[in-house]
Amino acid sequence: MSTANNEIILNVVDLKKYFPIKQGFLVKKTVAHVKAVDGISFHVVKGKTFALVGESGCGKTTVARTVLRVLNPTSGKIVFESTDISNLRYAQLLPFRRRMQIVFQDPMGSLNPRMTVGQIVTEPMLFHKVVKNKKEAYEKAASILNTVGLKSFHLDRYPHQFSGGQRQRIAIARAVSIEPDFLILDEPTSALDVSVQAQIINLLLKFQQEYGFSYLFISHDLGLVRFISDTVGIMYLGRIVERGVTNEVFDKPLHPYSRALLSACPVPDPRVERGRQRIILKGGVPSPIVRPQGCFFHPRCPYKTDVCEKEYPEFREVSKNHWVACHLVK
Ligand SMILES: Nc1ncnc2c1ncn2[C@@H]1O[C@H](COP(=O)(O)OP(=O)(O)OP(=O)(O)O)[C@@H](O)[C@H]1O
Ligand SMILES: [Mg+2]
């Protein structure tokens, strides 16, 4: 990841989030932990996009919720610009809450069905006092709705009166209404069909170009990640196994898991596509409660050696800005 001349907006260092599993009838005791996020580090450069990819359950949404401090981290640092926000209390967090926003996968679940679009979009503006009064908030909301491709008469309608794509536009309008610098997009288009997906992605890119937004983009869709992101981290069972500039990681993935995952992503050149081989992984993702000894990926890895069964590999920078955790990569 190039950092030399670039300002970093978000720096996450060795972040961990464990969820306790409690058992017992009257007295509940912690018997184990779900290690949803287990020591991950990455940064987002101002005005750029960092993507997190990985199988379902590997901890992507937990990273998003912990970075926003909806969840408290078990340990690690979350540095926004130059402030460590990992231990800030509610009142101290408020200014950062205004600057960091999230758009979720399911717009119906993230919009209050009893509020009109006008109330939904103006509420954060009034709460964070970015406008003087309700009238100004509604004027601003109407202009934002136009920017996201909706009309001002939509302000009086309720979320159920819109299509999925329109609802996602409302969620984006609400997120950008308070002029944040940093947005987390947690699978923002996975519930939408391809053409609506393209419209939403173009809208997000337009915002990035016009207002310099920085994005943490979470997705299963590898084609989309390649298109939208500058840098990428590949997650497996709560850890990042490979991280680097998107084009380099996609062209030359080094970790066996990344190779398998990216072999499923089609290449636009038909000659290259014809010669490519899909790597089919055997077995499922192990449990984040009882993880394998050694490298977490070794039970599914076709290249594993003795050391892979014993030690978790160090996360090393193997070439400039290209980091990987694998014993076999020299
Ligand atoms: N509040 C919670 N309590 C206990 N376990 C949790 C909690 N939230 C998430 N988990 C567990 O943490 C792990 C990671 O979940 P997370 O939602 O972060 O995965 P994800 O990568 O976002 O998956 P998906 O791609 O399906 O959205 C899962 O095993 C999940 O069951
Ligand atoms: Mg998720």
Side-chain angles (χ1 to χ4, degrees):
M1 265 174 247
S2 82
T3 53
N5 302 314
N6 301 317
E7 255 182 283
I8 292 172
I9 189 157
L10 178 83
N11 194 17
V12 172
V13 185
D14 203 19
L15 185 71
K16 293 186 183 167
K17 178 66 200 173
Y18 297 172
F19 296 105
I21 302 171
K22 299 197 177 196
Q23 263 176 17
F25 180 58
L26 290 173
V27 182
K28 293 218 180 288
K29 272 194 192 161
T30 301
V31 289
H33 284 94
V34 180
K35 294 183 174 165
V37 176
D38 193 23
I40 78 163
S41 303
F42 63 87
H43 60 258
V44 183
V45 172
K46 241 177 208 170
K48 304 273 181 203
T49 303
F50 173 75
L52 268 182
V53 283
E55 276 163 298
S56 182
C58 72
K60 305 178 295 295
T61 300
T62 308
V63 172
R65 291 162 63 86
T66 315
V67 163
L68 289 177
R69 288 288 316 276
V70 176
L71 295 170
N72 286 327
T74 304
S75 67
K77 273 197 205 171
I78 306 156
V79 183
F80 188 78
E81 288 184 334
S82 52
T83 313
D84 183 354
I85 62 162
S86 46
N87 293 309
L88 292 189
R89 297 195 176 276
Y90 181 80
Q92 301 162 309
L93 260 180
L94 272 186
F96 297 98
R97 288 251 154 91
R98 189 191 73 69
R99 299 184 57 197
M100 302 161 90
Q101 286 294 304
I102 186 161
V103 176
F104 291 101
Q105 169 179 12
D106 167 20
M108 199 57 206
S110 63
L111 302 175
N112 188 337
R114 292 192 213 170
M115 284 165 81
T116 62
V117 171
Q119 288 167 327
I120 288 171
V121 180
T122 55
E123 189 191 42
M125 288 194 256
L126 292 163
F127 179 80
H128 288 286
K129 299 191 178 67
V130 293
V131 285
K132 284 196 230 62
N133 50 39
K134 252 189 173 175
K135 184 171 171 284
E136 197 187 321
Y138 269 84
E139 281 164 12
K140 197 164 171 205
S143 127
I144 296 170
L145 280 195
N146 278 327
T147 320
V148 299
L150 295 171
K151 300 279 180 279
S152 43
F153 62 79
H154 287 135
L155 283 169
D156 299 325
R157 296 202 183 161
Y158 288 88
H160 74 268
Q161 295 171 309
F162 292 90
S163 72
Q166 285 173 325
R167 276 199 284 268
Q168 200 55 303
R169 284 165 197 270
I170 298 165
I172 293 171
R174 180 181 55 178
V176 302
S177 68
I178 51 172
E179 297 159 22
D181 313 289
F182 173 70
L183 270 133
I184 298 187
L185 308 160
D186 189 358
E187 310 199 24
T189 59
S190 56
L192 309 173
D193 71 61
V194 181
S195 65
V196 181
Q197 184 177 355
Q199 291 167 12
I200 299 285
I201 293 300
N202 286 336
L203 183 67
L204 292 168
L205 288 174
K206 186 178 120 186
F207 278 133
Q208 189 166 53
Q209 275 162 8
E210 283 179 18
Y211 308 113
F213 286 169
S214 317
Y215 292 143
L216 168 58
F217 187 79
I218 294 172
S219 182
H220 283 118
D221 186 334
L222 298 166
L224 196 54
V225 166
R226 180 160 205 173
F227 175 67
I228 201 169
S229 70
D230 302 285
T231 47
V232 65
I234 302 202
M235 274 187 85
Y236 190 76
L237 218 60
R239 294 196 180 164
I240 292 185
V241 294
E242 186 161 359
R243 198 186 73 195
V245 174
T246 305
N247 282 339
E248 188 178 325
V249 173
F250 272 67
D251 288 340
K252 288 192 217 100
L254 297 175
H255 196 283
Y257 176 65
S258 319
R259 278 192 245 159
L261 195 69
L262 299 175
S263 76
C265 179
V267 173
D269 184 340
R271 279 168 301 178
V272 180
E273 180 61 27
R274 236 174 279 135
R276 268 161 33 100
Q277 232 189 345
R278 276 235 29 208
I279 305 169
I280 311 281
L281 285 177
K282 293 199 182 81
V285 187
S287 150
I289 307 167
V290 190
R291 300 174 304 185
Q293 275 243 309
C295 172
F296 299 162
F297 184 61
H298 89 259
R300 299 168 83 188
C301 182
Y303 315 104
K304 71 169 178 217
T305 60
D306 289 348
V307 64
C308 307
E309 293 175 16
K310 294 188 188 103
E311 279 172 40
Y312 191 88
E314 187 195 350
F315 193 49
R316 292 175 302 123
E317 188 174 20
V318 286
S319 62
K320 197 166 178 288
N321 301 320
H322 195 154
W323 293 70
V324 64
C326 177
H327 289 297
L328 306 170
V329 178
K330 298 296 167 211

Short mmCIF file of all heavy atoms in Angstrom, two decimals, residues 19 34 36 54-62 105 187 220 288, ligand 1:
data_model
loop_
_atom_site.label_atom_id
_atom_site.label_comp_id
_atom_site.label_asym_id
_atom_site.label_seq_id
_atom_site.Cartn_x
_atom_site.Cartn_y
_atom_site.Cartn_z
N PHE A 19 -16.34 -12.39 21.04
CA PHE A 19 -17.66 -12.42 21.68
C PHE A 19 -17.68 -13.58 22.67
O PHE A 19 -17.39 -14.71 22.29
CB PHE A 19 -18.76 -12.67 20.64
CG PHE A 19 -18.90 -11.57 19.62
CD1 PHE A 19 -18.43 -11.75 18.32
CD2 PHE A 19 -19.51 -10.37 19.94
CE1 PHE A 19 -18.56 -10.74 17.37
CE2 PHE A 19 -19.65 -9.36 19.00
CZ PHE A 19 -19.17 -9.54 17.72
N VAL A 34 -16.05 -16.47 20.70
CA VAL A 34 -16.02 -16.47 19.23
C VAL A 34 -14.99 -15.42 18.86
O VAL A 34 -15.18 -14.23 19.13
CB VAL A 34 -17.39 -16.05 18.62
CG1 VAL A 34 -17.32 -16.07 17.10
CG2 VAL A 34 -18.51 -16.91 19.12
N ALA A 36 -14.13 -13.46 16.45
CA ALA A 36 -14.63 -12.99 15.15
C ALA A 36 -13.58 -12.18 14.40
O ALA A 36 -13.44 -12.31 13.19
CB ALA A 36 -15.89 -12.17 15.37
N GLY A 54 -13.75 -11.90 1.73
CA GLY A 54 -13.57 -13.17 2.43
C GLY A 54 -14.91 -13.87 2.54
O GLY A 54 -15.96 -13.27 2.34
N GLU A 55 -14.84 -15.17 2.90
CA GLU A 55 -16.07 -15.98 2.96
C GLU A 55 -17.01 -15.48 4.06
O GLU A 55 -16.57 -14.80 5.00
CB GLU A 55 -15.69 -17.43 3.27
CG GLU A 55 -15.32 -18.22 2.03
CD GLU A 55 -14.56 -19.48 2.37
OE1 GLU A 55 -13.48 -19.39 2.94
OE2 GLU A 55 -15.07 -20.57 2.07
N SER A 56 -18.25 -15.91 3.96
CA SER A 56 -19.26 -15.55 4.95
C SER A 56 -18.80 -16.00 6.34
O SER A 56 -18.32 -17.11 6.51
CB SER A 56 -20.56 -16.23 4.57
OG SER A 56 -21.55 -15.86 5.46
N GLY A 57 -18.91 -15.10 7.31
CA GLY A 57 -18.57 -15.45 8.69
C GLY A 57 -17.11 -15.21 9.04
O GLY A 57 -16.70 -15.50 10.16
N CYS A 58 -16.32 -14.65 8.11
CA CYS A 58 -14.89 -14.47 8.42
C CYS A 58 -14.64 -13.23 9.27
O CYS A 58 -13.53 -13.00 9.73
CB CYS A 58 -14.05 -14.46 7.15
SG CYS A 58 -14.24 -12.97 6.19
N GLY A 59 -15.67 -12.40 9.48
CA GLY A 59 -15.52 -11.29 10.42
C GLY A 59 -15.58 -9.89 9.80
O GLY A 59 -15.28 -8.91 10.48
N LYS A 60 -16.01 -9.77 8.56
CA LYS A 60 -15.98 -8.47 7.87
C LYS A 60 -16.90 -7.44 8.54
O LYS A 60 -16.49 -6.32 8.82
CB LYS A 60 -16.38 -8.63 6.39
CG LYS A 60 -15.53 -9.66 5.65
CD LYS A 60 -15.95 -9.83 4.23
CE LYS A 60 -17.33 -10.41 3.99
NZ LYS A 60 -17.56 -11.80 4.42
N THR A 61 -18.15 -7.85 8.79
CA THR A 61 -19.10 -6.91 9.41
C THR A 61 -18.66 -6.56 10.83
O THR A 61 -18.82 -5.43 11.27
CB THR A 61 -20.52 -7.52 9.39
OG1 THR A 61 -20.87 -7.75 8.03
CG2 THR A 61 -21.55 -6.60 10.02
N THR A 62 -18.08 -7.52 11.53
CA THR A 62 -17.59 -7.24 12.89
C THR A 62 -16.49 -6.18 12.83
O THR A 62 -16.43 -5.30 13.68
CB THR A 62 -17.10 -8.54 13.55
OG1 THR A 62 -18.15 -9.51 13.45
CG2 THR A 62 -16.76 -8.34 15.00
N GLN A 105 -26.00 -3.65 3.93
CA GLN A 105 -26.41 -4.52 2.83
C GLN A 105 -27.92 -4.45 2.57
O GLN A 105 -28.36 -4.38 1.44
CB GLN A 105 -26.02 -5.95 3.21
CG GLN A 105 -26.57 -7.02 2.35
CD GLN A 105 -26.09 -8.37 2.83
OE1 GLN A 105 -25.53 -8.52 3.90
NE2 GLN A 105 -26.28 -9.36 2.01
N GLU A 187 -21.33 -4.48 1.91
CA GLU A 187 -22.08 -5.15 0.83
C GLU A 187 -23.27 -4.29 0.40
O GLU A 187 -24.41 -4.75 0.44
CB GLU A 187 -22.54 -6.53 1.29
CG GLU A 187 -21.38 -7.30 1.88
CD GLU A 187 -21.63 -8.78 1.92
OE1 GLU A 187 -22.44 -9.27 1.13
OE2 GLU A 187 -20.98 -9.44 2.73
N HIS A 220 -18.56 -9.55 -1.26
CA HIS A 220 -18.26 -10.91 -1.73
C HIS A 220 -17.91 -10.87 -3.20
O HIS A 220 -17.37 -11.82 -3.75
CB HIS A 220 -19.52 -11.78 -1.66
CG HIS A 220 -19.87 -12.24 -0.31
ND1 HIS A 220 -21.03 -11.89 0.31
CD2 HIS A 220 -19.21 -13.04 0.55
CE1 HIS A 220 -21.07 -12.45 1.50
NE2 HIS A 220 -19.99 -13.15 1.66
N PRO A 288 -14.93 -20.33 14.24
CA PRO A 288 -14.11 -19.31 14.88
C PRO A 288 -13.99 -19.50 16.39
O PRO A 288 -13.32 -18.74 17.07
CB PRO A 288 -14.84 -18.00 14.56
CG PRO A 288 -16.23 -18.39 14.23
CD PRO A 288 -16.24 -19.82 13.79
N1 LIG B 1 -22.99 -10.35 18.50
C1 LIG B 1 -22.39 -11.51 18.26
N2 LIG B 1 -22.30 -12.47 19.20
C2 LIG B 1 -21.65 -13.63 18.97
N3 LIG B 1 -21.07 -13.96 17.79
C3 LIG B 1 -21.12 -13.05 16.81
C4 LIG B 1 -21.80 -11.78 16.97
N4 LIG B 1 -21.70 -11.09 15.79
C5 LIG B 1 -21.02 -11.88 14.94
N5 LIG B 1 -20.68 -13.05 15.54
C6 LIG B 1 -19.91 -14.17 14.94
O1 LIG B 1 -18.70 -13.61 14.44
C7 LIG B 1 -18.34 -14.24 13.22
C8 LIG B 1 -18.14 -13.17 12.15
O2 LIG B 1 -19.39 -12.59 11.82
P1 LIG B 1 -19.54 -11.41 10.76
O3 LIG B 1 -20.95 -10.99 10.73
O4 LIG B 1 -18.51 -10.38 11.09
O5 LIG B 1 -19.13 -12.14 9.41
P2 LIG B 1 -19.11 -11.58 7.90
O6 LIG B 1 -17.73 -11.82 7.38
O7 LIG B 1 -19.64 -10.19 7.87
O8 LIG B 1 -20.11 -12.58 7.17
P3 LIG B 1 -21.13 -12.30 5.94
O9 LIG B 1 -20.28 -12.26 4.72
O10 LIG B 1 -22.04 -13.50 5.98
O11 LIG B 1 -21.85 -11.00 6.22
C9 LIG B 1 -19.43 -15.24 12.91
O12 LIG B 1 -18.99 -16.51 13.31
C10 LIG B 1 -20.61 -14.77 13.74
O13 LIG B 1 -21.41 -15.85 14.12
#
